[in-house]
Amino acid sequence: MSLLSDAMRSTFTTKCAVCGAVIRKRDALDHEGLAFCSVLHEAEYIVSTLD
C-alpha cells in the first residue's frame, strides 16, 4: 500500500471500537467520540461501561 492510499483510507474509514471492523465514517455510529459498526456493538460498549 502506498502512503497516499493509507491516508485516503484513514480519511474515509474508521474501526469499530468493539470488533475492530473497518467501516466508512459516514456509516459509523458515534458515541462519545468512538465509532461502532452496529447498534448492538454500541449497546454492548455502553453496558460494559456501566459496571
Side-chain angles (χ1 to χ4, degrees), residues 11-49:
T11 300
F12 298 110
T13 63
T14 188
K15 288 187 177 184
C16 175
V18 173
C19 69
V22 176
I23 50 178
R24 292 182 294 194
K25 286 183 179 178
R26 70 178 188 196
D27 295 334
L29 301 170
D30 181 87
H31 178 78
E32 298 180 350
L34 297 173
F36 300 93
C37 66
S38 67
V39 173
L40 176 63
H41 280 178
E42 183 180 19
E44 285 178 8
Y45 173 80
I46 292 168
V47 169
S48 73
T49 61

